DNA sequence: CCTAGTATGCTTGTATTCAAGTGGCAAATG
DNA sequence: CATTTGCCACTTGAATACAAGCATACTAGG
């Protein structure tokens, strides 16, 4: 939860468990805050400020920021400061290309080895997502959404590919959460169902189309993006 | 160049420029040494040992190791040590899948906008690679090889995709350099030429096949891998 | 001889201190 | 009044010091 405080800027409140790696916890908190746009692009990430908030030294904070900078979520300017990176539209476009290419390739392999057990498991996830919407738990919805797409990699017996997809999806998620409309979440349910339906029918081409349609839905956000947020984007 | 020394293990000799970021230089040296298999899988990466060799403190060394661990090149075990990661065959397989899926997708886009200028530039790179072989400069060959494949992303106007491909290619390169045979390098030349030839003819399908053949050549290494190196691999 | 316990040296994780560069602001100078 | 100069607060980078856990070797006791 983002809230302004005496630090003068946006802070992230969190109590961490000192028995577990500190840098890991700081990293996770910051990463989630950035993806959920609680820390909007351009927000200064002062190491000292974070040290005071988390009650830890700079070392683990620096480690966390270093990881975030490699992930492209934070820009570090020596002797000037670190800031939540702007959302580069070209990055969003390229990340979408990566994700779509990989998921379609996975889907082609999954279609050839589709089983009723897979169908059940996927429909289970979809049902959970529907419940997430009813409960209004957006974070849980996105977590289960990742689970759905991850299953594609698992079923294709290429679980390692998911890491690459997730990295791309992370960059996309920030854009979607920023521009997205909660009313659109139910559409995801029907699109997921369309994919599983096609797979159940053994129609690989239809599944291909359904997944493409599902993933390309992000493009409508390119149009709807409000002008007032221009400052948060580049390119 | 890897060489044993008083540290008791394998060391990396290098003189670094203190006017530039130290951690960056340490990272680059270590990364190259690991990819070129000068530091084989399982090699202990002692922070203190590296500090003595580079004549720097632990802080930048730790930063470098942290980056390498995220790249999957180093495994860090708290209170035990850090080691060059084993080459996981499932990782190689998945990385190959990522690379092939993305490069083929890029090629499909490039084929539709192919120009004589692109053809010239690519043939230029190929010529340079042939020269690298004549000079016996394997490192330069691989550097130019990356350039060739990077051009696909550039021509498709999705330069950002290259970063993802490169990450996958890095994992593959370590495997190839370990198992590879220098005699096979000239084959790369003819395969690259076949791709450009097909593009020049405007035959997208042939280009597709040529690139697939080129990338799938790595699978012959799966068979030829000598038994004595088993210890360096897992899965 | 074998086993249990302990001591020691190694490792990484965290904290703290020092160093160097940047940008803004205010005062001095033309 | 405009410009420059020096100071100061702030940033990250690097160096050093401290803490805590693990593995090995050694020792004492059976």
């Amino acid at each position: 939860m983002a809230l302004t405080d005496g630090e003068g800027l946006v802070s992230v409140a969190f109590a961490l468990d000192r028995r577990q790696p500190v840098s890991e916890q700081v990293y996770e908190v910051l990463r989630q805050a950035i993806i959920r746009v609680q820390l909007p692009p351009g927000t200064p990430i002062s190491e000292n400020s974070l040290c005071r908030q988390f009650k830890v030294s700079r070392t683990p904070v620096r480690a966390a920021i270093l990881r975030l900078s490699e992930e492209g979520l934070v820009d570090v300017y020596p002797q000037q400061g670190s800031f939540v990176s702007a959302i580069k539209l070209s990055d969003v476009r390229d990340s979408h290309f990566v994700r779509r290419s990989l998921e379609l390739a996975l889907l082609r392999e999954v279609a050839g080895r589709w089983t009723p057990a897979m169908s059940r498991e996927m429909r289970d996830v979809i049902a959970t997502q529907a419940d997430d919407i009813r409960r209004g738990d957006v974070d849980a919805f996105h977590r289960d959404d990742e689970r759905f797409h991850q299953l594609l990699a698992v079923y294709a017996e290429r679980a390692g590919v998911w890491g690459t997809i997730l990295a791309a999806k992370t960059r996309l998620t920030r854009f979607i959460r920023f521009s997205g409309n909660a009313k659109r979440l139910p559409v995801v349910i029907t699109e997921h169902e369309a994919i599983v339906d096609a797979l159940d029918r053994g129609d690989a081409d239809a599944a291909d189309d359904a997944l493409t349609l599902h993933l390309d839905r992000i493009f409508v956000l390119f149009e709807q993006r409000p002008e007032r947020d221009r400052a948060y984007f580049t390119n």
Side-chain angles (χ1 to χ4, degrees), chain A:
Chain A
M1 38 247 75
L3 50 114
T4 57
D5 70 346
E7 298 292 347
L9 292 160
V10 180
S11 68
V12 182
F14 193 76
L16 39 74
D17 180 3
R18 298 307 292 260
R19 291 169 305 183
Q20 286 177 331
V22 176
S23 68
E24 178 70 23
Q25 297 178 66
V26 174
Y27 164 77
E28 207 56 50
V29 171
L30 256 52
R31 181 175 182 276
Q32 290 298 330
I34 293 174
I35 292 176
R36 296 174 187 171
V37 206
Q38 293 160 356
L39 297 178
T43 304
I45 304 290
S46 168
E47 293 181 3
N48 286 321
S49 174
L50 290 173
C51 291
R52 286 188 289 268
Q53 295 178 43
F54 287 110
K55 299 284 198 297
V56 296
S57 75
R58 273 182 60 204
T59 309
V61 171
R62 276 181 65 76
I65 292 178
L66 178 59
R67 291 179 62 179
L68 292 170
S69 76
E70 288 176 40
E71 233 174 312
L73 296 178
V74 168
D75 293 329
V76 177
Y77 302 95
Q79 280 72 48
Q80 298 184 37
S82 303
F83 307 88
V84 177
S85 67
I87 298 175
K88 288 180 64 178
L89 294 185
S90 65
D91 259 16
V92 174
R93 189 169 155 275
D94 290 344
S95 296
H96 174 73
F97 179 85
V98 168
R99 185 191 180 188
R100 187 174 63 175
S101 301
L102 292 179
E103 289 207 22
L104 286 176
L106 288 173
L107 183 67
R108 276 193 285 274
E109 303 215 340
V110 170
R113 63 182 68 176
W114 189 246
T115 67
M118 295 178 185
S119 179
R120 268 197 305 277
E121 191 175 14
M122 278 202 145
R123 291 188 188 280
D124 242 30
V125 175
I126 296 174
T128 305
Q129 284 191 281
D131 193 56
D132 292 333
I133 294 178
R134 268 190 295 276
R135 299 202 329 275
D137 193 338
V138 178
D139 289 336
F141 177 87
H142 282 95
R143 209 160 41 236
D144 290 323
D145 186 66
E146 281 188 3
R147 176 73 186 146
F148 179 88
H149 290 274
Q150 182 180 16
L151 282 178
L152 281 180
V154 174
Y155 294 161
E157 288 180 47
R158 298 184 187 275
V161 176
W162 173 244
T164 303
I165 296 176
L166 181 58
K169 191 175 188 295
T170 294
R171 294 187 286 266
L172 290 174
T173 299
R174 198 156 68 113
F175 173 76
I176 291 174
R177 289 227 181 172
F178 197 93
S179 314
N181 190 328
K183 293 176 192 149
R184 290 202 154 271
L185 294 187
V187 180
V188 172
I189 303 289
T190 63
E191 287 170 349
H192 281 184
E193 285 171 341
I195 296 169
V196 179
D197 286 345
L199 287 170
D200 279 345
R201 295 195 309 272
D203 190 341
D205 288 335
D208 212 282
D209 293 340
L211 179 56
T212 301
L213 194 71
H214 173 50
L215 296 179
D216 283 355
R217 196 171 46 80
I218 189 180
F219 285 129
V220 306
L221 296 178
F222 267 88
E223 322 301 335
Q224 297 183 345
R225 182 164 35 85
E227 276 302 315
R228 68 173 169 81
D229 296 329
R230 268 269 184 243
Y232 293 142
F233 300 91
T234 62
N235 288 34

